[in-house]
Amino acid sequence: MNVLWICTDQQRFDTLGCYGNPWVKTPNIDRLAQMGVKFDRAYAQCPVCGPSRASFLTGRYPRTCGVRQNGQDMQKDEILLPKLLHMNGYYCGLAGKLHISACHDSACKIMEPRIDDGYDFFRWSHHPAAFSGTNWPMNEYSMWLAEKGTDYITPDRTECKYIQTGMPEDLHQTTWCTNQAIQFMESAKRYHLPWFFSLNYFDPHHPFDPPKEYLERYLSRLEELELPDYVEKEWETKPVFQKTDHFGAYDTEGLFPFEEMSPADHRYIRAAYFAMIDLIDHQVGRLLDWLEINEQLNDTLIIFTSDHGESLCDHGMYLKGPYFYESSVHVPLIFTCPGKIKGGRTSNALVELTDISETVCEAAGIQKAAGMQGMSLWPLLTGERMLNKHRNNVYSEYYNSNINHRSPLAFVTMVYDGRYKLCRVHDPEEKQQITGELYDLAADPGEHHNLYYEKDAEDVKILMLEKLSDRMAQTCDPLPVRKAFW
């Protein structure tokens, strides 16, 4: 079968109609869920881009595949899923973001360095203004704009300084990525090749800059949008990183500083974020139309997910960091293949994004790489195993993964068993006052009440620390493969 893997950037699980969001307009992604299987409890293995993407493309955890932080280069001996597929006769392509290597202008004068990744068709584009307005000469989206005689221009909006008016839809990076995917599929069809395409939209990652026409429909009802789920000064009972990010995202002064923002600011940002997702949905509709017209929908495995979430000022913080709230690590995950997978089903099994690569390998009938650490979801999707039973818990990690947070450094790990979530701050110098979080999501779904230091929760805390210890042991690198008994 063909494989179309759609990965958005920084999209929370609760931002699609099929996941219960009443605001977004996502009929095409909702249709994917209706035609396939929607996973209600899928979790990223890091709440930051590079480590998460490296993890799910290799089926290995961030610390084992070598990309624990944004700005690290993946080791050359790591095997990506497209490389495996390429070795087994697949025509493989990518459009948009990759981000498994250093991607800052100080380290990347031409474009993101590539390992032997297996892509036959490679159309790389990071966000043109992702880093202080910088760009790269080989950003292919920017070159496309230049061919059309235009520049990347996203002016600030007068009503809210935290959002911008983005490029119009026909010139947007989301549209460009979709164009590249369709071009690739047309080529694969012409030459009768089985294909794998990795489609990586940059949205709804900040900056919050949807096309004007997509934002407009929210503005007339702005006052109806919910304000962030924040309990005043809840950061006082949380690790120190949450206090610093409350006053400036990424521990950066002036970057979405909660105390300086108004309720209207929060609503404008939420509206812009939702509008970016609406645009993504419209472009997904173009892909579905192409697959139907070309009679490939039944034989194409479509995966829709995101690399991690977005705080969106829940808990008084924007963007992401060393914390593992549902808004940060709980992501949408949908599998569709009408010819192979019975549709209209929802699974509440605990799953990880590490599971995706092994799932694709099994679906394609190829041998997985020796170092893969996930668990294939294919038996659940095909009905060979119970749909709601997969893992006992999910694990995620943060090893000094993002910018700033330099004093102290942030090393945090998480385990979640479906009810209790424990996060442990690793503090070898014993300088931090609060080194853990424990939440009972059955009683406190908003994760506001930290039970870590409460006497009545000691037994649960010990049990969850044991589970965390077990997962950290079980997720150590299985490579190199053992060759003999001695």
Side-chain angles (χ1 to χ4, degrees):
M1 66 182 73
N2 303 316
V3 182
L4 173 61
W5 185 345
I6 304 168
C7 183
T8 62
D9 198 330
Q10 207 159 298
Q11 182 176 357
R12 297 160 54 117
F13 76 101
D14 57 359
T15 54
L16 296 171
C18 58
Y19 281 94
N21 188 298
W23 284 96
V24 294
K25 188 176 181 181
T26 56
N28 296 297
I29 301 171
D30 296 346
R31 183 183 169 208
L32 287 178
Q34 293 164 2
M35 292 191 297
V37 176
K38 172 174 69 75
F39 287 90
D40 277 353
R41 298 196 294 179
Y43 289 81
Q45 276 46 76
C46 183
V48 172
C49 304
S52 178
R53 289 170 179 269
S55 177
F56 60 58
L57 281 168
T58 58
R60 289 158 57 74
Y61 292 91
R63 75 174 188 273
T64 54
C65 72
V67 183
R68 303 176 303 280
Q69 309 162 331
N70 278 354
Q72 284 185 307
D73 288 349
M74 180 177 282
Q75 298 296 314
K76 295 185 183 299
D77 57 354
E78 290 293 328
I79 300 176
L80 300 185
L81 174 64
K83 178 64 174 179
L84 280 177
L85 293 168
H86 177 85
M87 292 165 58
N88 283 272
Y90 273 74
Y91 179 43
C92 298
L94 173 142
K97 188 173 177 178
L98 181 58
H99 208 176
I100 58 172
S101 302
C103 199
H104 190 276
D105 58 301
S106 64
C108 177
K109 296 300 182 185
I110 304 300
M111 62 182 292
E112 182 179 355
R114 292 177 62 187
I115 60 174
D116 186 11
D117 48 35
Y119 292 111
D120 302 285
F121 178 103
F122 192 79
R123 301 291 185 266
W124 178 84
S125 165
H126 209 83
H127 196 286
F131 298 106
S132 304
T134 60
N135 202 352
W136 298 278
M138 294 304 292
N139 186 330
E140 297 201 42
Y141 167 61
S142 298
M143 290 193 289
W144 179 71
L145 291 178
E147 287 178 3
K148 292 183 171 293
T150 189
D151 292 321
Y152 185 80
I153 301 172
T154 56
D156 292 338
R157 294 188 66 97
T158 57
E159 63 267 60
C160 176
K161 67 179 181 180
Y162 300 104
I163 67 172
Q164 294 79 40
T165 297
M167 297 292 285
E169 181 173 10
D170 63 330
L171 296 174
H172 202 278
Q173 195 258 7
T174 297
T175 303
W176 174 84
C177 285
T178 306
N179 293 346
Q180 300 305 309
I182 292 173
Q183 179 183 345
F184 171 89
M185 293 187 298
E186 289 279 7
S187 177
K189 177 188 176 186
R190 186 176 302 114
Y191 292 99
H192 306 289
L193 295 167
W195 54 264
F196 166 88
F197 197 81
S198 177
L199 177 54
N200 299 272
Y201 298 125
F202 188 86
D203 280 2
H205 191 292
H206 65 285
F208 301 108
D209 56 356
K212 178 181 178 181
E213 61 270 30
Y214 277 82
L215 181 61
E216 289 297 324
R217 82 176 189 90
Y218 289 96
L219 298 186
S220 63
R221 301 180 61 191
L222 196 68
E223 291 298 319
E224 298 176 42
L225 286 174
E226 292 182 358
L227 289 172
D229 184 14
Y230 168 60
V231 175
E232 187 175 359
K233 293 188 177 181
E234 66 176 84
W235 41 264
E236 290 183 341
T237 63
K238 312 291 180 73
V240 65
F241 315 112
Q242 301 186 34
K243 178 180 179 180
T244 59
D245 287 12
H246 174 79
F247 290 95
Y250 298 163
D251 191 11
T252 302
E253 184 178 356
L255 185 61
F256 300 102
F258 179 90
E259 297 296 334
E260 300 176 21
M261 300 173 71
S262 69
D265 288 331
H266 299 312
R267 289 190 169 106
Y268 273 114
I269 293 171
R270 193 156 293 219
Y273 186 74
F274 289 168
M276 295 159 83
I277 293 166
D278 292 349
L279 171 59
I280 289 168
D281 183 84
H282 186 241
Q283 295 301 316
V284 169
R286 291 180 60 206
L287 297 168
L288 291 177
D289 288 346
W290 188 94
L291 290 170
E292 282 192 307
I293 290 169
N294 290 276
E295 299 181 346
Q296 293 193 25
L297 184 61
N298 282 345
D299 299 318
T300 299
L301 176 63
I302 305 173
I303 306 162
F304 183 92
T305 191
S306 190
D307 56 355
H308 56 79
E310 156 67 52
S311 294
L312 211 58
C313 209
D314 287 350
H315 307 283
M317 301 173 292
Y318 277 99
L319 314 186
K320 68 259 188 184
Y323 22 87
F324 298 88
Y325 294 117
E326 292 293 281
S327 56
S328 298
V329 290
H330 188 176
V331 294
L333 179 62
I334 300 168
F335 284 84
T336 298
C337 185
K340 300 285 185 179
I341 298 172
K342 180 183 176 182
R345 294 181 294 155
T346 297
S347 170
N348 66 2
L350 289 168
V351 303
E352 297 182 349
L353 296 190
T354 53
D355 300 334
I356 296 177
S357 283
E358 290 201 29
T359 303
V360 173
C361 286
E362 185 169 358
I366 67 174
Q367 183 68 36
K368 70 176 186 177
M372 284 185 171
Q373 297 173 287
M375 295 171 58
S376 174
L377 296 164
W378 192 242
L380 281 71
L381 296 170
T382 58
E384 297 173 34
R385 199 165 71 229
M386 291 179 60
L387 186 63
N388 295 320
K389 185 66 175 176
H390 186 59
R391 290 181 176 274
N392 294 325
N393 53 62
V394 289
Y395 168 76
S396 192
E397 55 191 27
Y398 186 108
Y399 290 109
N400 188 29
S401 299
N402 211 4
I403 59 175
N404 293 347
H405 300 116
R406 294 294 178 255
S407 182
L409 294 174
F411 294 87
V412 192
T413 50
M414 178 217 84
V415 67
Y416 173 53
D417 68 2
R419 176 174 178 178
Y420 294 104
K421 183 185 292 184
L422 181 133
C423 307
R424 175 66 183 178
V425 176
H426 302 281
D427 180 32
E429 297 182 356
E430 299 183 355
K431 291 184 177 180
Q432 300 190 49
Q433 292 182 334
I434 299 174
T435 57
E437 295 172 88
L438 175 63
Y439 301 105
D440 179 354
L441 272 75
D444 177 27
E447 300 170 284
H448 299 294
H449 187 190
N450 185 7
L451 303 172
Y452 196 83
Y453 293 100
E454 295 198 3
K455 188 172 181 60
D456 291 346
E458 282 186 354
D459 289 346
V460 173
K461 174 182 170 180
I462 291 170
L463 177 63
M464 294 304 293
L465 283 168
E466 289 175 349
K467 291 182 180 181
L468 178 63
S469 177
D470 288 343
R471 286 308 305 270
M472 294 182 76
Q474 294 161 1
T475 56
C476 69
D477 197 346
L479 295 177
V481 175
R482 183 176 183 173
K483 293 183 177 180
F485 291 115
W486 54 80

